[in-house]
Amino acid sequence: MSERRALVVRLRRTEGALLRLLGLVQRRGFEIADIATAPAEAGVWRVRLELESVRDPGPLARQIEKLYDVVAVDAVGSGSAPVTT
Amino acid sequence: MADGSIRKGTRLSGAAWLIRALEEEGVETLFGYPGGAIMPVYDALVGSRLRHVLVRHEQGAALAAIGYARASGKVGVCMATSGPGATNLVTGIADAFLDSVPLLVITGQVPTTLMGTDAFQEVDVFGITLPIVKHSFLVRRPEDIVATVREAFAIAREGRPGPVLIDLPKDVAVAMVEADPPTRIERRPAPPSVSGLARARALLAASERPVIYAGGGVGMAGAEDALRRFHATTRAPAVLTLKALGALDPDDPMVLGMLGMHGNQGANHAVQEADLLIVAGARFDDRATGRLATFAPKARVIHLDADPAEIGKLREADAAICGDLARALDALAQPLAIDPWRARCAAWRAEHAWRYDAPGTDVYAPLLLKQLSEKARARFGERTVITCDVGQHQMWVAQHCRFPRISAHLTSGGLGTMGFGLPAAIGARFARPDCEVICVSGDGSIMMNVQELATLHRYGLKVKIVLLDNSALGMVRQWQELFFAERYSEVDLSDNPDFVEVARAFRIPAIAIDRRDQVGPALDALLAAETSMLLHVRIDPRANVWPLVPPGKSNGEMIERRAA
Ligand SMILES: Cc1ncc(C[n+]2csc(CCOP(=O)(O)OP(=O)(O)O)c2C)c(N)n1
Ligand SMILES: [Mg+2]
């Protein structure tokens, strides 16, 4: 059963940063169900991702944290009720 | 010109700043191949104190830089032009990514004004390599070059190492500027330290059947001595991954050898029976674990790694310590009262020790490699580096050669890159001129970067090549035999060129053998040679690598040699 969860990533606004984040998320086996970005403080984006996967999001958050442009990652729990695929 | 110092107020081209910055980082040798978009950098190279090694294919440059990095522990540097030059580097970048090798890759790019217009030799190498770099930069302002190089080196090295790309558009390289002072753009926070030391100590003290499972991370973290101390104190049975071979003395009865698909049965037995795994710088790779769900089924796990993202990625850890591996190992070390377990492991080790008594008079590759390693040790002591390619011969090297340290065994583990061996040997030769460098290759693999024989000749390098020729893509042939009902498909190489002639055409001396009684004298001649030399060895095309965990099976289901 695939679960839906939300992650909020604060990302420095550098060349390729968004591509790198989205690419990593998909490669690690998470489907992006929804995405919203908004400027946070100067030069930083706040990216909210709704992710669906059968995989555990714990390692994903740590993978994202390793990205050089990432300032912080917050798991905000399940965005909505778990969905079955 | 190159007084090396980067002073405020100096006006230079972006390319000249790049060279200055590399010199400041202590780079001595870099590997590359020129072309249009990177010509300003090659121009700035003239008169610099960097030694540039001109290879004959950009893939050779990337893999040589990897060999250099892995043999020396420094950051390897390679460069190429835009478009095809850049795409030819991609395999090397992926290799560095999967084996966590610190590598700086510099690519020329078309001018910023032409980027995005499908200009001549424009490819989006930044985009192509996004999934296989630790980080990448596209430098759009010449005044950023020095700081970017500084930053790239730091990123390549720190934590878990990896490849970093700098894509440099031509107009940025030719523009004249004052460089900004090279401060770090942003310091990365130290990885969150997941510290389970107290819990790990308790698990270890309570364990009756602990096994140390050490991986290549031990070498990258500079923790080989700490691992040896840990092993000496605990006397816990240890198994090593392909990338950790050399970390512990293979003659020690508590060193059970390599685990996994082509590992020692004894090592796999111990892991399957263990009640505790002490995982040091290893990542539960599928070639090591077999079917993951059945791997070490009775064991709790203590996971030590520099990379927090490895903890819990494939196997839950009961205790994890992130960060400095050497410190973690030292903090954890304690004597253990596990004699019955030691005795069981020693018995497995003895029962499954390699045997070299194969019948027949043709060359038996495992025996040849054992002799090669012993003869090299007798002549050169610990000053040997062995590189290899990918296939059956790679597994035989892992099984039958011995290595005094991890950096003495350069093998493409994560990516399994055929063509790795020769360029890696070239890199190792530049990195460790005090060492004898031996490359063990296969008849398939050697052809993937055979052009680098010209690099051996050009620089008068001494690399000893042992070419194990089974007239086949042997490893694939073996899988077809065993797992595809002997339906052989595109694995026959019996029309290979005459490799002795090939070598000689590149002005590399070569000899050929095909009988077992020729092996000793041929190896002596090879190792005694004062120049590069190729030893062509014809081996039985039907020979397989044993033992073996069939794909998708448990490490507990290893199969031994089939009766012929
Ligand atoms: C670049 C690349 N292409 C294909 C493969 C798949 N592959 C793995 S081993 C192997 C055969 C290697 O043949 P050879 O170098 O002769 O070694 P042998 O197994 O015969 O010892 C192949 C094709 C690979 N690992 N790398
Ligand atoms: Mg072969």
Side-chain angles (χ1 to χ4, degrees), chain B residues 37 49-50 63 71 106 126 130 156 163 193 309 322 357 360 369 407 425-426 451 469 471 473 516 528 543 547 562:
Chain B
R49 62 174 137 84
L50 299 179
L63 297 176
I106 299 162
F126 185 91
L130 273 178
S193 108
C322 245
D357 51 352
L369 291 169
S407 64
I426 290 170
Q451 77 286 344
D469 181 353
S471 302
L473 299 172
R516 202 172 297 180
R562 291 208 180 141

Side-chain angles (χ1 to χ4, degrees), chain B residues 61-67 69 74-78 89 92-97 100-105 135 152-153 156-157 161-165:
Chain B
L63 297 176
I66 289 172
K74 299 187 209 156
V75 178
V77 183
C78 61
L89 292 173
I93 299 172
D95 189 275
F97 185 70
S100 307
V101 181
L103 182 72
L104 178 66
V105 180
H135 193 62
F153 270 88
R157 258 191 302 250
V164 178
L165 173 90

Side-chain angles (χ1 to χ4, degrees), chain B residues 229-246:
Chain B
R229 285 194 297 272
F230 182 78
H231 187 244
T233 304
T234 59
R235 298 303 291 154
V239 303
L240 302 170
T241 68
L242 176 68
K243 297 265 308 293
L245 295 174

Side-chain angles (χ1 to χ4, degrees), chain B residues 85-114:
Chain B
T87 53
N88 275 348
L89 292 173
V90 168
T91 299
I93 299 172
D95 189 275
F97 185 70
L98 286 183
D99 276 343
S100 307
V101 181
L103 182 72
L104 178 66
V105 180
I106 299 162
T107 47
Q109 183 54 278
V110 302
T112 49
T113 47
L114 289 181

